[in-house]
PDB file of all heavy atoms in Angstrom:
ATOM      1  N   ALA A  15    -248.985-185.809  47.300  1.00  0.00           N
ATOM      2  CA  ALA A  15    -247.662-186.420  47.463  1.00  0.00           C
ATOM      3  C   ALA A  15    -246.646-185.735  46.564  1.00  0.00           C
ATOM      4  O   ALA A  15    -245.518-185.460  46.964  1.00  0.00           O
ATOM      5  CB  ALA A  15    -247.720-187.916  47.168  1.00  0.00           C
ATOM      6  N   SER A  16    -247.066-185.473  45.340  1.00  0.00           N
ATOM      7  CA  SER A  16    -246.220-184.772  44.373  1.00  0.00           C
ATOM      8  C   SER A  16    -247.120-184.261  43.268  1.00  0.00           C
ATOM      9  O   SER A  16    -248.272-184.684  43.135  1.00  0.00           O
ATOM     10  CB  SER A  16    -245.146-185.710  43.793  1.00  0.00           C
ATOM     11  OG  SER A  16    -245.756-186.713  42.997  1.00  0.00           O
ATOM     12  N   ALA A  17    -246.579-183.333  42.467  1.00  0.00           N
ATOM     13  CA  ALA A  17    -247.368-182.786  41.355  1.00  0.00           C
ATOM     14  C   ALA A  17    -247.732-183.887  40.364  1.00  0.00           C
ATOM     15  O   ALA A  17    -248.857-183.946  39.848  1.00  0.00           O
ATOM     16  CB  ALA A  17    -246.587-181.667  40.662  1.00  0.00           C
ATOM     17  N   LEU A  18    -246.770-184.773  40.082  1.00  0.00           N
ATOM     18  CA  LEU A  18    -247.006-185.857  39.126  1.00  0.00           C
ATOM     19  C   LEU A  18    -248.063-186.819  39.639  1.00  0.00           C
ATOM     20  O   LEU A  18    -248.967-187.240  38.917  1.00  0.00           O
ATOM     21  CB  LEU A  18    -245.697-186.600  38.854  1.00  0.00           C
ATOM     22  CG  LEU A  18    -245.799-187.784  37.871  1.00  0.00           C
ATOM     23  CD1 LEU A  18    -246.281-187.300  36.506  1.00  0.00           C
ATOM     24  CD2 LEU A  18    -244.448-188.485  37.750  1.00  0.00           C
ATOM     25  N   SER A  19    -247.962-187.181  40.922  1.00  0.00           N
ATOM     26  CA  SER A  19    -248.913-188.114  41.523  1.00  0.00           C
ATOM     27  C   SER A  19    -250.313-187.520  41.549  1.00  0.00           C
ATOM     28  O   SER A  19    -251.299-188.203  41.244  1.00  0.00           O
ATOM     29  CB  SER A  19    -248.475-188.477  42.945  1.00  0.00           C
ATOM     30  OG  SER A  19    -249.402-189.363  43.543  1.00  0.00           O
ATOM     31  N   SER A  20    -250.402-186.243  41.888  1.00  0.00           N
ATOM     32  CA  SER A  20    -251.706-185.576  41.932  1.00  0.00           C
ATOM     33  C   SER A  20    -252.328-185.499  40.545  1.00  0.00           C
ATOM     34  O   SER A  20    -253.528-185.745  40.355  1.00  0.00           O
ATOM     35  CB  SER A  20    -251.574-184.175  42.532  1.00  0.00           C
ATOM     36  OG  SER A  20    -251.118-184.234  43.865  1.00  0.00           O
ATOM     37  N   ALA A  21    -251.504-185.138  39.550  1.00  0.00           N
ATOM     38  CA  ALA A  21    -251.997-185.020  38.174  1.00  0.00           C
ATOM     39  C   ALA A  21    -252.455-186.383  37.650  1.00  0.00           C
ATOM     40  O   ALA A  21    -253.484-186.497  36.980  1.00  0.00           O
ATOM     41  CB  ALA A  21    -250.901-184.449  37.272  1.00  0.00           C
ATOM     42  N   PHE A  22    -251.644-187.412  37.977  1.00  0.00           N
ATOM     43  CA  PHE A  22    -252.001-188.762  37.532  1.00  0.00           C
ATOM     44  C   PHE A  22    -253.321-189.216  38.147  1.00  0.00           C
ATOM     45  O   PHE A  22    -254.189-189.776  37.484  1.00  0.00           O
ATOM     46  CB  PHE A  22    -250.878-189.729  37.907  1.00  0.00           C
ATOM     47  CG  PHE A  22    -251.158-191.148  37.501  1.00  0.00           C
ATOM     48  CD1 PHE A  22    -251.154-191.525  36.173  1.00  0.00           C
ATOM     49  CD2 PHE A  22    -251.431-192.119  38.474  1.00  0.00           C
ATOM     50  CE1 PHE A  22    -251.419-192.832  35.801  1.00  0.00           C
ATOM     51  CE2 PHE A  22    -251.693-193.421  38.110  1.00  0.00           C
ATOM     52  CZ  PHE A  22    -251.686-193.782  36.767  1.00  0.00           C
ATOM     53  N   GLY A  23    -253.483-188.944  39.450  1.00  0.00           N
ATOM     54  CA  GLY A  23    -254.711-189.337  40.138  1.00  0.00           C
ATOM     55  C   GLY A  23    -255.923-188.610  39.598  1.00  0.00           C
ATOM     56  O   GLY A  23    -256.988-189.212  39.378  1.00  0.00           O
ATOM     57  N   ALA A  24    -255.787-187.302  39.357  1.00  0.00           N
ATOM     58  CA  ALA A  24    -256.903-186.514  38.827  1.00  0.00           C
ATOM     59  C   ALA A  24    -257.281-186.981  37.432  1.00  0.00           C
ATOM     60  O   ALA A  24    -258.464-187.067  37.083  1.00  0.00           O
ATOM     61  CB  ALA A  24    -256.530-185.038  38.811  1.00  0.00           C
ATOM     62  N   THR A  25    -256.274-187.276  36.610  1.00  0.00           N
ATOM     63  CA  THR A  25    -256.531-187.753  35.243  1.00  0.00           C
ATOM     64  C   THR A  25    -257.263-189.086  35.255  1.00  0.00           C
ATOM     65  O   THR A  25    -258.192-189.321  34.468  1.00  0.00           O
ATOM     66  CB  THR A  25    -255.201-187.901  34.471  1.00  0.00           C
ATOM     67  OG1 THR A  25    -254.539-186.633  34.427  1.00  0.00           O
ATOM     68  CG2 THR A  25    -255.452-188.385  33.051  1.00  0.00           C
ATOM     69  N   LEU A  26    -256.840-189.975  36.159  1.00  0.00           N
ATOM     70  CA  LEU A  26    -257.492-191.290  36.253  1.00  0.00           C
ATOM     71  C   LEU A  26    -258.950-191.155  36.675  1.00  0.00           C
ATOM     72  O   LEU A  26    -259.832-191.814  36.108  1.00  0.00           O
ATOM     73  CB  LEU A  26    -256.741-192.181  37.240  1.00  0.00           C
ATOM     74  CG  LEU A  26    -257.360-193.563  37.469  1.00  0.00           C
ATOM     75  CD1 LEU A  26    -257.371-194.369  36.180  1.00  0.00           C
ATOM     76  CD2 LEU A  26    -256.610-194.314  38.558  1.00  0.00           C
ATOM     77  N   ILE A  27    -259.223-190.287  37.645  1.00  0.00           N
ATOM     78  CA  ILE A  27    -260.594-190.102  38.118  1.00  0.00           C
ATOM     79  C   ILE A  27    -261.465-189.532  36.991  1.00  0.00           C
ATOM     80  O   ILE A  27    -262.595-189.980  36.764  1.00  0.00           O
ATOM     81  CB  ILE A  27    -260.623-189.174  39.347  1.00  0.00           C
ATOM     82  CG1 ILE A  27    -259.999-189.889  40.547  1.00  0.00           C
ATOM     83  CG2 ILE A  27    -262.052-188.753  39.667  1.00  0.00           C
ATOM     84  CD1 ILE A  27    -259.877-189.021  41.774  1.00  0.00           C
ATOM     85  N   LEU A  28    -260.934-188.564  36.264  1.00  0.00           N
ATOM     86  CA  LEU A  28    -261.682-187.978  35.154  1.00  0.00           C
ATOM     87  C   LEU A  28    -261.935-189.013  34.060  1.00  0.00           C
ATOM     88  O   LEU A  28    -263.051-189.132  33.542  1.00  0.00           O
ATOM     89  CB  LEU A  28    -260.910-186.789  34.577  1.00  0.00           C
ATOM     90  CG  LEU A  28    -261.549-186.092  33.361  1.00  0.00           C
ATOM     91  CD1 LEU A  28    -262.925-185.552  33.726  1.00  0.00           C
ATOM     92  CD2 LEU A  28    -260.648-184.978  32.849  1.00  0.00           C
ATOM     93  N   ALA A  29    -260.896-189.775  33.736  1.00  0.00           N
ATOM     94  CA  ALA A  29    -261.039-190.810  32.700  1.00  0.00           C
ATOM     95  C   ALA A  29    -262.044-191.870  33.130  1.00  0.00           C
ATOM     96  O   ALA A  29    -262.834-192.368  32.318  1.00  0.00           O
ATOM     97  CB  ALA A  29    -259.678-191.444  32.416  1.00  0.00           C
ATOM     98  N   SER A  30    -262.039-192.227  34.409  1.00  0.00           N
ATOM     99  CA  SER A  30    -262.987-193.230  34.926  1.00  0.00           C
ATOM    100  C   SER A  30    -264.412-192.723  34.816  1.00  0.00           C
ATOM    101  O   SER A  30    -265.319-193.461  34.430  1.00  0.00           O
ATOM    102  CB  SER A  30    -262.650-193.561  36.385  1.00  0.00           C
ATOM    103  OG  SER A  30    -261.365-194.113  36.508  1.00  0.00           O
ATOM    104  N   ALA A  31    -264.604-191.446  35.166  1.00  0.00           N
ATOM    105  CA  ALA A  31    -265.948-190.861  35.092  1.00  0.00           C
ATOM    106  C   ALA A  31    -266.447-190.821  33.654  1.00  0.00           C
ATOM    107  O   ALA A  31    -267.607-191.158  33.369  1.00  0.00           O
ATOM    108  CB  ALA A  31    -265.947-189.456  35.693  1.00  0.00           C
ATOM    109  N   LEU A  32    -265.567-190.422  32.734  1.00  0.00           N
ATOM    110  CA  LEU A  32    -265.949-190.363  31.323  1.00  0.00           C
ATOM    111  C   LEU A  32    -266.250-191.753  30.765  1.00  0.00           C
ATOM    112  O   LEU A  32    -267.211-191.941  30.009  1.00  0.00           O
ATOM    113  CB  LEU A  32    -264.826-189.701  30.513  1.00  0.00           C
ATOM    114  CG  LEU A  32    -264.600-188.205  30.760  1.00  0.00           C
ATOM    115  CD1 LEU A  32    -263.378-187.716  29.996  1.00  0.00           C
ATOM    116  CD2 LEU A  32    -265.841-187.405  30.346  1.00  0.00           C
ATOM    117  N   ALA A  33    -265.420-192.726  31.154  1.00  0.00           N
ATOM    118  CA  ALA A  33    -265.640-194.100  30.686  1.00  0.00           C
ATOM    119  C   ALA A  33    -266.969-194.646  31.203  1.00  0.00           C
ATOM    120  O   ALA A  33    -267.709-195.322  30.484  1.00  0.00           O
ATOM    121  CB  ALA A  33    -264.488-194.993  31.141  1.00  0.00           C
ATOM    122  N   LEU A  34    -267.301-194.332  32.467  1.00  0.00           N
ATOM    123  CA  LEU A  34    -268.550-194.793  33.046  1.00  0.00           C
ATOM    124  C   LEU A  34    -269.744-194.135  32.373  1.00  0.00           C
ATOM    125  O   LEU A  34    -270.739-194.801  32.061  1.00  0.00           O
ATOM    126  CB  LEU A  34    -268.563-194.499  34.544  1.00  0.00           C
ATOM    127  CG  LEU A  34    -269.809-194.954  35.315  1.00  0.00           C
ATOM    128  CD1 LEU A  34    -269.996-196.465  35.176  1.00  0.00           C
ATOM    129  CD2 LEU A  34    -269.704-194.580  36.784  1.00  0.00           C
ATOM    130  N   LEU A  35    -269.648-192.832  32.114  1.00  0.00           N
ATOM    131  CA  LEU A  35    -270.738-192.115  31.459  1.00  0.00           C
ATOM    132  C   LEU A  35    -270.964-192.626  30.040  1.00  0.00           C
ATOM    133  O   LEU A  35    -272.107-192.881  29.630  1.00  0.00           O
ATOM    134  CB  LEU A  35    -270.445-190.607  31.429  1.00  0.00           C
ATOM    135  CG  LEU A  35    -270.556-189.869  32.766  1.00  0.00           C
ATOM    136  CD1 LEU A  35    -270.062-188.439  32.625  1.00  0.00           C
ATOM    137  CD2 LEU A  35    -272.003-189.893  33.266  1.00  0.00           C
ATOM    138  N   TYR A  36    -269.877-192.778  29.300  1.00  0.00           N
ATOM    139  CA  TYR A  36    -269.998-193.249  27.921  1.00  0.00           C
ATOM    140  C   TYR A  36    -270.494-194.690  27.880  1.00  0.00           C
ATOM    141  O   TYR A  36    -271.333-195.055  27.050  1.00  0.00           O
ATOM    142  CB  TYR A  36    -268.660-193.144  27.203  1.00  0.00           C
ATOM    143  CG  TYR A  36    -268.731-193.606  25.761  1.00  0.00           C
ATOM    144  CD1 TYR A  36    -269.318-192.807  24.790  1.00  0.00           C
ATOM    145  CD2 TYR A  36    -268.240-194.854  25.390  1.00  0.00           C
ATOM    146  CE1 TYR A  36    -269.411-193.242  23.470  1.00  0.00           C
ATOM    147  CE2 TYR A  36    -268.325-195.297  24.077  1.00  0.00           C
ATOM    148  CZ  TYR A  36    -268.912-194.484  23.120  1.00  0.00           C
ATOM    149  OH  TYR A  36    -269.011-194.915  21.829  1.00  0.00           O
ATOM    150  N   GLY A  37    -269.980-195.517  28.778  1.00  0.00           N
ATOM    151  CA  GLY A  37    -270.417-196.911  28.813  1.00  0.00           C
ATOM    152  C   GLY A  37    -271.888-197.039  29.157  1.00  0.00           C
ATOM    153  O   GLY A  37    -272.610-197.841  28.556  1.00  0.00           O
ATOM    154  N   THR A  38    -272.346-196.235  30.117  1.00  0.00           N
ATOM    155  CA  THR A  38    -273.758-196.259  30.500  1.00  0.00           C
ATOM    156  C   THR A  38    -274.642-195.837  29.334  1.00  0.00           C
ATOM    157  O   THR A  38    -275.679-196.461  29.048  1.00  0.00           O
ATOM    158  CB  THR A  38    -274.006-195.330  31.697  1.00  0.00           C
ATOM    159  OG1 THR A  38    -273.201-195.746  32.793  1.00  0.00           O
ATOM    160  CG2 THR A  38    -275.475-195.364  32.119  1.00  0.00           C
ATOM    161  N   TYR A  39    -274.213-194.776  28.642  1.00  0.00           N
ATOM    162  CA  TYR A  39    -274.991-194.311  27.481  1.00  0.00           C
ATOM    163  C   TYR A  39    -275.023-195.361  26.381  1.00  0.00           C
ATOM    164  O   TYR A  39    -276.085-195.668  25.821  1.00  0.00           O
ATOM    165  CB  TYR A  39    -274.375-193.016  26.935  1.00  0.00           C
ATOM    166  CG  TYR A  39    -274.904-192.634  25.581  1.00  0.00           C
ATOM    167  CD1 TYR A  39    -276.189-192.113  25.426  1.00  0.00           C
ATOM    168  CD2 TYR A  39    -274.126-192.809  24.445  1.00  0.00           C
ATOM    169  CE1 TYR A  39    -276.683-191.783  24.180  1.00  0.00           C
ATOM    170  CE2 TYR A  39    -274.609-192.481  23.186  1.00  0.00           C
ATOM    171  CZ  TYR A  39    -275.882-191.961  23.061  1.00  0.00           C
ATOM    172  OH  TYR A  39    -276.364-191.643  21.818  1.00  0.00           O
ATOM    173  N   SER A  40    -273.866-195.931  26.066  1.00  0.00           N
ATOM    174  CA  SER A  40    -273.783-196.893  24.968  1.00  0.00           C
ATOM    175  C   SER A  40    -274.560-198.171  25.248  1.00  0.00           C
ATOM    176  O   SER A  40    -275.212-198.726  24.356  1.00  0.00           O
ATOM    177  CB  SER A  40    -272.312-197.237  24.684  1.00  0.00           C
ATOM    178  OG  SER A  40    -271.595-196.093  24.305  1.00  0.00           O
ATOM    179  N   LEU A  41    -274.499-198.629  26.499  1.00  0.00           N
ATOM    180  CA  LEU A  41    -275.103-199.920  26.831  1.00  0.00           C
ATOM    181  C   LEU A  41    -276.573-199.829  27.218  1.00  0.00           C
ATOM    182  O   LEU A  41    -277.329-200.774  27.006  1.00  0.00           O
ATOM    183  CB  LEU A  41    -274.311-200.578  27.968  1.00  0.00           C
ATOM    184  CG  LEU A  41    -272.876-200.996  27.622  1.00  0.00           C
ATOM    185  CD1 LEU A  41    -272.132-201.414  28.872  1.00  0.00           C
ATOM    186  CD2 LEU A  41    -272.886-202.128  26.605  1.00  0.00           C
ATOM    187  N   ILE A  42    -276.985-198.699  27.792  1.00  0.00           N
ATOM    188  CA  ILE A  42    -278.342-198.604  28.327  1.00  0.00           C
ATOM    189  C   ILE A  42    -279.233-197.656  27.528  1.00  0.00           C
ATOM    190  O   ILE A  42    -280.365-197.997  27.176  1.00  0.00           O
ATOM    191  CB  ILE A  42    -278.322-198.163  29.804  1.00  0.00           C
ATOM    192  CG1 ILE A  42    -277.451-199.113  30.628  1.00  0.00           C
ATOM    193  CG2 ILE A  42    -279.736-198.096  30.361  1.00  0.00           C
ATOM    194  CD1 ILE A  42    -277.900-200.549  30.615  1.00  0.00           C
ATOM    195  N   PHE A  43    -278.722-196.487  27.206  1.00  0.00           N
ATOM    196  CA  PHE A  43    -279.578-195.465  26.618  1.00  0.00           C
ATOM    197  C   PHE A  43    -279.492-195.367  25.099  1.00  0.00           C
ATOM    198  O   PHE A  43    -280.448-194.953  24.444  1.00  0.00           O
ATOM    199  CB  PHE A  43    -279.258-194.092  27.225  1.00  0.00           C
ATOM    200  CG  PHE A  43    -279.511-194.039  28.701  1.00  0.00           C
ATOM    201  CD1 PHE A  43    -278.460-194.036  29.604  1.00  0.00           C
ATOM    202  CD2 PHE A  43    -280.804-194.005  29.195  1.00  0.00           C
ATOM    203  CE1 PHE A  43    -278.695-194.000  30.967  1.00  0.00           C
ATOM    204  CE2 PHE A  43    -281.046-193.974  30.559  1.00  0.00           C
ATOM    205  CZ  PHE A  43    -279.988-193.971  31.445  1.00  0.00           C
ATOM    206  N   LYS A  44    -278.376-195.726  24.529  1.00  0.00           N
ATOM    207  CA  LYS A  44    -278.217-195.607  23.089  1.00  0.00           C
ATOM    208  C   LYS A  44    -279.063-196.654  22.379  1.00  0.00           C
ATOM    209  O   LYS A  44    -279.068-197.826  22.753  1.00  0.00           O
ATOM    210  CB  LYS A  44    -276.753-195.785  22.700  1.00  0.00           C
ATOM    211  CG  LYS A  44    -276.481-195.550  21.215  1.00  0.00           C
ATOM    212  CD  LYS A  44    -275.000-195.719  20.911  1.00  0.00           C
ATOM    213  CE  LYS A  44    -274.711-195.497  19.437  1.00  0.00           C
ATOM    214  NZ  LYS A  44    -273.271-195.672  19.132  1.00  0.00           N
ATOM    215  N   LEU A  45    -279.800-196.231  21.345  1.00  0.00           N
ATOM    216  CA  LEU A  45    -280.627-197.156  20.574  1.00  0.00           C
ATOM    217  C   LEU A  45    -279.728-198.139  19.842  1.00  0.00           C
ATOM    218  O   LEU A  45    -278.841-197.729  19.096  1.00  0.00           O
ATOM    219  CB  LEU A  45    -281.472-196.376  19.556  1.00  0.00           C
ATOM    220  CG  LEU A  45    -282.506-197.177  18.753  1.00  0.00           C
ATOM    221  CD1 LEU A  45    -283.601-197.676  19.674  1.00  0.00           C
ATOM    222  CD2 LEU A  45    -283.074-196.329  17.642  1.00  0.00           C
ATOM    223  N   PRO A  46    -279.906-199.450  20.054  1.00  0.00           N
ATOM    224  CA  PRO A  46    -279.046-200.419  19.390  1.00  0.00           C
ATOM    225  C   PRO A  46    -279.247-200.402  17.882  1.00  0.00           C
ATOM    226  O   PRO A  46    -280.337-200.105  17.396  1.00  0.00           O
ATOM    227  CB  PRO A  46    -279.501-201.767  19.991  1.00  0.00           C
ATOM    228  CG  PRO A  46    -280.888-201.517  20.460  1.00  0.00           C
ATOM    229  CD  PRO A  46    -280.930-200.089  20.899  1.00  0.00           C
ATOM    230  N   ALA A  47    -278.204-200.707  17.141  1.00  0.00           N
ATOM    231  CA  ALA A  47    -278.317-200.734  15.686  1.00  0.00           C
ATOM    232  C   ALA A  47    -279.230-201.875  15.261  1.00  0.00           C
ATOM    233  O   ALA A  47    -279.286-202.933  15.893  1.00  0.00           O
ATOM    234  CB  ALA A  47    -276.934-200.922  15.074  1.00  0.00           C
ATOM    235  N   ALA A  48    -279.963-201.633  14.190  1.00  0.00           N
ATOM    236  CA  ALA A  48    -280.875-202.660  13.694  1.00  0.00           C
ATOM    237  C   ALA A  48    -280.081-203.852  13.184  1.00  0.00           C
ATOM    238  O   ALA A  48    -279.073-203.707  12.493  1.00  0.00           O
ATOM    239  CB  ALA A  48    -281.744-202.089  12.579  1.00  0.00           C
ATOM    240  N   VAL A  49    -280.523-205.051  13.545  1.00  0.00           N
ATOM    241  CA  VAL A  49    -279.872-206.272  13.080  1.00  0.00           C
ATOM    242  C   VAL A  49    -280.380-206.589  11.681  1.00  0.00           C
ATOM    243  O   VAL A  49    -281.588-206.604  11.450  1.00  0.00           O
ATOM    244  CB  VAL A  49    -280.193-207.449  14.028  1.00  0.00           C
ATOM    245  CG1 VAL A  49    -279.519-208.720  13.532  1.00  0.00           C
ATOM    246  CG2 VAL A  49    -279.762-207.125  15.444  1.00  0.00           C
ATOM    247  N   PRO A  50    -279.496-206.826  10.697  1.00  0.00           N
ATOM    248  CA  PRO A  50    -279.960-207.196   9.359  1.00  0.00           C
ATOM    249  C   PRO A  50    -280.877-208.403   9.420  1.00  0.00           C
ATOM    250  O   PRO A  50    -280.541-209.408  10.057  1.00  0.00           O
ATOM    251  CB  PRO A  50    -278.651-207.512   8.616  1.00  0.00           C
ATOM    252  CG  PRO A  50    -277.612-206.707   9.337  1.00  0.00           C
ATOM    253  CD  PRO A  50    -278.026-206.733  10.776  1.00  0.00           C
ATOM    254  N   ILE A  51    -282.025-208.300   8.758  1.00  0.00           N
ATOM    255  CA  ILE A  51    -283.048-209.355   8.848  1.00  0.00           C
ATOM    256  C   ILE A  51    -282.487-210.714   8.430  1.00  0.00           C
ATOM    257  O   ILE A  51    -282.773-211.737   9.057  1.00  0.00           O
ATOM    258  CB  ILE A  51    -284.267-209.001   7.979  1.00  0.00           C
ATOM    259  CG1 ILE A  51    -284.824-207.629   8.377  1.00  0.00           C
ATOM    260  CG2 ILE A  51    -285.344-210.065   8.117  1.00  0.00           C
ATOM    261  CD1 ILE A  51    -285.286-207.534   9.794  1.00  0.00           C
ATOM    262  N   LYS A  52    -281.671-210.735   7.386  1.00  0.00           N
ATOM    263  CA  LYS A  52    -281.151-212.002   6.877  1.00  0.00           C
ATOM    264  C   LYS A  52    -280.225-212.693   7.876  1.00  0.00           C
ATOM    265  O   LYS A  52    -279.991-213.893   7.775  1.00  0.00           O
ATOM    266  CB  LYS A  52    -280.417-211.770   5.553  1.00  0.00           C
ATOM    267  CG  LYS A  52    -281.334-211.374   4.400  1.00  0.00           C
ATOM    268  CD  LYS A  52    -280.555-211.231   3.101  1.00  0.00           C
ATOM    269  CE  LYS A  52    -281.476-210.868   1.947  1.00  0.00           C
ATOM    270  NZ  LYS A  52    -280.724-210.723   0.666  1.00  0.00           N
ATOM    271  N   GLN A  53    -279.680-211.940   8.808  1.00  0.00           N
ATOM    272  CA  GLN A  53    -278.746-212.514   9.789  1.00  0.00           C
ATOM    273  C   GLN A  53    -279.442-213.026  11.040  1.00  0.00           C
ATOM    274  O   GLN A  53    -278.812-213.614  11.912  1.00  0.00           O
ATOM    275  CB  GLN A  53    -277.698-211.466  10.173  1.00  0.00           C
ATOM    276  CG  GLN A  53    -276.801-211.035   9.028  1.00  0.00           C
ATOM    277  CD  GLN A  53    -275.766-210.022   9.448  1.00  0.00           C
ATOM    278  OE1 GLN A  53    -275.520-209.820  10.637  1.00  0.00           O
ATOM    279  NE2 GLN A  53    -275.139-209.357   8.485  1.00  0.00           N
TER     280      GLN A  53
END
């Protein structure tokens, strides 16, 4: 539609992919921090 619209759309798709990848790693694959025993 326009250079601005195309750039905005591409940036959003890239940001969405990165957010999904990071979220998946953090929530599923990343080892959770140890909970302090006293807590």
Side-chain angles (χ1 to χ4, degrees):
S16 67
L18 179 61
S19 179
S20 298
F22 179 70
T25 301
L26 178 62
I27 290 175
L28 178 60
S30 298
L32 291 175
L34 181 59
L35 288 172
Y36 181 75
T38 301
Y39 167 74
S40 299
L41 294 171
I42 304 300
F43 298 106
K44 185 179 180 181
L45 186 67
V49 180
I51 304 300
K52 291 183 179 180
Q53 296 181 15

